Amino acid sequence: KGIIFIQCTLEEVEFTEADLTNAQFDHCDLKRASFENTILANADFRSASNYSIDPERNKLKKAKFSWPGVSGLLDKHDIIIE
């Protein structure tokens, strides 16, 4: 809980079943990071990039996302956002 990642490359990291309440992902690259049954309450992804998180399989209450990055919450739907 409350962990802060600053300017990290977190590629292919496994966050399954982790409690990342209040975590901050400050300018982090989360390419192919795995989030499954992860608690992300109040987590801050506003400056993070390349994440793919399924809102139906993770707890996202009050999590923060930037407008361009929010598309990472829709990846499972295989839709095109322009």
Side-chain angles (χ1 to χ4, degrees):
K1 293 181 180 181
I3 192 164
I4 300 172
F5 298 100
I6 301 173
Q7 297 182 350
C8 296
T9 300
L10 298 168
E11 291 185 15
E12 299 186 38
V13 174
E14 178 76 35
F15 289 118
T16 298
E17 298 189 11
D19 185 348
L20 296 173
T21 300
N22 296 314
Q24 293 180 32
F25 296 89
D26 186 8
H27 294 91
C28 294
D29 184 351
L30 294 160
K31 188 176 184 179
R32 292 186 304 274
S34 177
F35 296 90
E36 184 80 24
N37 297 318
T38 306
I39 301 170
L40 297 165
N42 296 307
D44 189 344
F45 290 90
R46 290 178 291 181
S47 63
S49 61
N50 299 317
Y51 54 83
S52 179
I53 302 169
D54 184 346
E56 294 175 8
R57 296 179 169 266
N58 297 281
K59 296 178 182 170
L60 299 173
K61 187 174 183 177
K62 304 278 185 179
K64 300 170 190 79
F65 300 91
S66 65
W67 176 244
V70 78
S71 64
L73 302 177
L74 301 171
D75 285 341
K76 78 173 196 169
H77 299 291
D78 196 26
I79 59 176
I80 298 168
I81 301 170
E82 296 182 354

